[in-house]
Amino acid sequence: MIGRAIAARLLATGWAVDLIGRDAGHLPSGIADAGGRFIAADRDEPSQLAAALGAGADLVVDCICYSAAHATGLVALAHRAAATVMISSRAVYVDAAGHSSNSAIPPRFDGPVRETQDTVPPADTDWRTKNGYGASKVAAELVLLGSGLPITVLRPSKIHGAGAHRPREWVFVKQALDQRPAVFLANRGADVDHTTAAANIAALVELAAAKPGRRILNIADPDAPSALEISRAIAGLLGHDREEVFVDSRTTETLGRHPWQRPYPIVLDMSAAVDIGYRPAGNYAETVEEEVEWLVTSALKGRDGSELPPRLDAEFFVPFFDYPAEDRYLAARPQPGIADPF
Ligand SMILES: NC(=O)c1ccc[n+]([C@@H]2O[C@H](COP(=O)([O-])OP(=O)(O)OC[C@H]3O[C@@H](n4cnc5c(N)ncnc54)[C@H](OP(=O)(O)O)[C@@H]3O)[C@@H](O)[C@H]2O)c1
């Protein structure tokens, strides 16, 4: 998802872009058509990465750097790059009580989170686990920044973009494709969990290439839409005329669940990026269009409605769809003009 957005932006402005992966079949056709070149290499094979980089590059971007070991491999490449960017995560941040976005107890930040906010302690642990993810990212960041090289660490929030493995917007796109009569939103749709367009990451990466530096920057959309605003943006794009049913917070197990549920808002402060000249590609509603179009194009229309193509993480979405419960709720409501017998 992220590499695709960065490649699209750079190719459009005249860069030569090589994309590294293990499977050439994963290269989006639009990127190949625009001149993106695929090089097969496994990041766990340092010699393959070194060969892919060759004599060097103006910019190296690592979208899959999760650990100190990965970072050590990236530093070796960064010596041959004018600028390097590593994709970290907002999952590194902790609130005053030490809770992160991956903690069992949700974090409660005082306001928009700046890059100076405390982080989880670094750890050499399994980055694939909920607890290990943030700690491993911090460990990777420390290796990169400690190298003294012009490496920019970006901390995105919840990313949206074409090619997402887990495209959260699917929750509302599927409802539109299935022509659901109503959208249900827990906590009246007021929850805010900052979104980050892959296209906005790409805009900041382009700037980091123009102004190489050793720094950490947040990256999130210029607005921080609530779940209600997210659902309305998608309904608007797809012409989905539906009723909004507000479900009071956490009174029900499944009705109104969505991927941006948060008891306290998480918003990233973008002033550090703006201070070095960052200009976003667009706000949430503008940038989400690409992912929505991609989802509509790739959705499979099956007997029971719209489904994600099998390569995407369909399991993740199971808790967000309970159409029978929604139908029961709608049917059980007192009808307008009909006296409530109770
Ligand atoms: N999703 C979010 O909301 C979110 C939020 C904050 C931060 N992040 C960060 O975003 C990054 C993930 O970015 P993404 O969603 O763009 O990832 P992605 O869509 O899963 O893409 C990963 C790319 O890396 C390639 N790849 C995977 N393993 C490889 C290996 N061993 N060697 C070479 N290439 C390999 C994959 O191609 P092949 O399979 O063909 O190798 C694919 O092209 C992570 O660093 C994550 O921490 C994500």
Side-chain angles (χ1 to χ4, degrees):
M1 164 174 62
I2 302 172
R4 176 182 184 142
I6 296 169
R9 182 171 179 117
L10 296 181
L11 287 165
T13 52
W15 283 72
V17 180
D18 294 339
L19 298 100
I20 314 299
R22 294 160 302 179
D23 182 345
H26 292 163
L27 186 70
S29 57
I31 296 298
D33 294 347
R37 193 169 67 120
F38 179 79
I39 301 178
D42 191 324
R43 82 150 310 136
D44 297 321
E45 298 291 338
S47 61
Q48 292 183 7
L49 282 190
L53 183 58
D58 295 312
L59 170 68
V60 168
V61 184
D62 193 344
C63 299
I64 52 166
C65 181
Y66 291 98
S67 65
H70 287 160
T72 302
L74 178 57
V75 167
L77 304 180
H79 280 286
R80 281 185 278 150
T84 298
V85 176
M86 175 271 202
I87 306 297
S88 184
S89 170
R90 63 92 189 262
V92 300
Y93 291 126
V94 289
D95 67 7
H99 302 133
S100 77
S101 56
N102 278 349
S103 299
I105 298 174
R108 186 173 194 168
F109 296 108
D110 296 338
V113 179
R114 305 197 63 143
E115 292 83 349
T116 47
Q117 183 78 22
D118 286 346
T119 70
V120 293
D124 186 10
T125 179
D126 184 356
W127 55 268
R128 295 174 188 83
T129 62
K130 218 170 158 103
N131 285 336
Y133 176 73
S136 304
K137 282 285 194 189
V138 175
E141 290 182 352
L142 290 175
V143 169
L144 298 172
L145 298 171
S147 73
L149 294 168
I151 299 179
T152 298
V153 168
L154 299 186
R155 292 176 173 164
S157 193
K158 281 196 158 161
I159 308 175
H160 58 98
H165 176 59
R166 206 177 261 181
R168 300 178 182 92
E169 281 72 11
W170 175 245
V171 168
F172 298 129
V173 170
K174 178 173 166 59
Q175 292 179 26
L177 296 178
D178 293 339
Q179 298 184 17
R180 298 294 299 165
V183 61
F184 287 71
L185 290 162
N187 194 29
R188 310 185 66 78
D191 292 358
V192 173
D193 195 349
H194 212 160
T195 55
T196 298
N200 283 330
I201 298 178
L204 190 49
V205 167
E206 188 180 30
L207 181 68
K211 297 182 177 177
R214 189 169 141 265
R215 53 170 93 93
I216 297 178
L217 295 172
N218 285 337
I219 176 65
D221 293 340
D223 49 344
S226 66
L228 175 61
E229 289 166 329
I230 289 172
S231 79
R232 284 183 178 169
I234 294 167
L237 286 168
L238 297 177
H240 185 202
D241 183 15
R242 80 283 186 276
E243 182 189 351
E244 289 164 350
V245 179
F246 297 129
V247 184
D248 277 338
S249 187
R250 290 153 207 104
T251 52
T252 155
E253 279 298 301
T254 56
L255 271 185
R257 287 187 68 170
H258 56 75
W260 297 271
Q261 267 175 277
R262 279 272 156 208
Y264 313 110
I266 299 185
V267 176
L268 299 187
D269 184 308
M270 281 301 298
S271 48
V274 170
D275 285 350
I276 62 160
Y278 163 70
R279 292 185 53 197
N283 64 21
Y284 177 79
E286 290 160 346
T287 52
V288 82
E289 195 168 352
E290 194 184 352
E291 186 196 52
V292 170
E293 272 176 21
W294 166 74
L295 280 171
V296 171
T297 313
S298 47
L300 310 173
K301 195 79 187 161
R303 188 167 49 87
D304 301 323
S306 303
E307 302 302 334
L308 279 178
R311 68 181 183 283
L312 301 183
D313 187 0
E315 269 304 294
F316 169 78
F317 292 98
V318 170
F320 300 115
F321 296 108
D322 193 348
Y323 288 172
E326 292 178 5
D327 291 340
R328 282 194 301 276
Y329 179 98
L330 295 173
R333 280 191 311 189
Q335 300 298 307
I338 301 176
D340 185 344
F342 305 107

